[in-house]
Amino acid sequence: AQSVAQPEDQVNVAEGNPLTVKCTYSVSGNPYLFWYVQYPNRGLQFLLKYITGDNLVKGSYGFEAEFNKSQTSFHLKKPSALVSDSALYFCAVRDRGSTLGRLYFGRGTQLTVWP
Amino acid sequence: NAGVTQTPKFRVLKTGQSMTLLCAQDMNHEYMYWYRQDPGMGLRLIHYSVGEGTTAKGEVPDGYNVSRLKKQNFLLGLESAAPSQTSVYFCASSYTGGGTEAFFGQGTRLTVV
């Protein structure tokens, strides 16, 4: 069964410090991996995705994520956090080998950046 | 270009009442999804569709039905609402499955009393 784990419910960082939001996954085949962000009372917005190739992918708003196949992880990172980055972040996975097209989400990590 | 539009944005139902949530997308996407979001549970897939006239069950389909009569619309129905269905519902669409990202609507906040 496909699953996505975000081991931290909350991450707190000071503005200007680097941030990491963790994600690990379990799929039967090779995954497509995604990160989304949700601001209060809004829908989810796409940040970045891993399809193939370079394990480090860059996305919107200065975010990047590193795919690690051996550790089955896809951690979201940013070198210097901003207060405006405070939001709920979701990791998502889709099984590359499946024709069903299901997109599974983790439980989310609340990021708070302190000024 | 409106993207994904959900109707209504808010609704309060009494236990046992029925209702339909409408999702419309104008991006010519094949795939459409209905999720529910509950505190601490993330997003859970209710039903999805990989094309006009097709639907499939997700993780938590019980108590819900869906229809995709037109490619641009995906309807979620609650036949007999229960308090356990109090949630925020999100519709999403993607061009295909695979590596294409999904686009989300603004959500529908449903309260069943």
Side-chain angles (χ1 to χ4, degrees):
Chain A
Q2 276 67 302
S3 68
V4 181
Q6 293 182 240
E8 300 160 316
D9 292 334
Q10 291 194 6
V11 171
N12 300 310
V13 298
E15 188 174 33
N17 282 0
L19 70 87
T20 299
V21 183
K22 296 179 180 178
C23 172
T24 60
Y25 62 89
S26 173
V27 297
S28 56
N30 293 320
Y32 297 110
L33 296 157
F34 305 83
W35 275 102
Y36 288 82
V37 59
Q38 185 182 30
Y39 298 100
N41 301 313
R42 300 291 298 276
L44 277 71
Q45 298 177 27
F46 168 73
L47 274 181
L48 53 78
K49 64 182 177 183
Y50 172 79
I51 304 298
T52 188
D54 194 347
N55 290 342
L56 185 66
V57 295
K58 296 184 183 298
S60 307
Y61 312 119
F63 284 94
E64 57 189 27
E66 185 168 12
F67 170 61
N68 187 317
K69 186 175 182 179
S70 63
Q71 296 184 4
T72 61
S73 66
F74 189 56
H75 299 332
L76 181 70
K77 299 180 180 183
K78 188 173 183 181
S80 179
L82 299 172
V83 173
S84 57
D85 293 330
S86 298
L88 187 58
Y89 290 81
F90 289 96
C91 182
V93 62
R94 187 185 271 136
D95 186 353
R96 189 183 300 262
S98 171
T99 58
L100 297 177
R102 294 184 183 185
L103 186 61
Y104 292 96
F105 285 82
R107 294 191 174 191
T109 298
Q110 181 66 49
L111 172 67
T112 300
V113 181
W114 300 98
Chain B
N1 188 342
V4 179
T5 303
Q6 292 182 231
T7 308
K9 291 182 170 54
F10 303 94
R11 185 72 185 269
V12 178
L13 284 180
K14 293 183 179 179
T15 298
Q17 286 185 321
S18 63
M19 77 163 294
T20 300
L21 282 66
L22 172 63
C23 177
Q25 53 94 3
D26 61 1
M27 296 172 283
N28 200 34
H29 285 173
E30 291 292 336
Y31 284 54
M32 296 187 75
Y33 309 82
W34 276 108
Y35 291 90
R36 59 178 289 173
Q37 183 179 26
D38 302 291
M41 301 295 290
L43 274 77
R44 292 182 292 172
L45 182 63
I46 304 172
H47 286 279
Y48 66 106
S49 168
V50 300
E52 180 179 321
T54 71
T55 63
K57 294 180 180 180
E59 303 168 85
V60 289
D62 293 343
Y64 305 95
N65 56 75
V66 289
S67 65
R68 183 108 180 262
L69 299 179
K70 294 183 178 180
K71 186 177 183 178
Q72 64 267 34
N73 295 336
F74 195 30
L75 279 64
L76 177 70
L78 285 72
E79 294 179 343
S80 179
S84 61
Q85 295 178 303
T86 293
S87 187
V88 180
Y89 292 85
F90 286 100
C91 176
S93 70
S94 62
Y95 184 58
T96 63
T100 60
E101 61 269 26
F103 293 81
F104 281 78
Q106 296 282 67
T108 296
R109 185 172 296 275
L110 175 66
T111 302
V112 183
V113 297

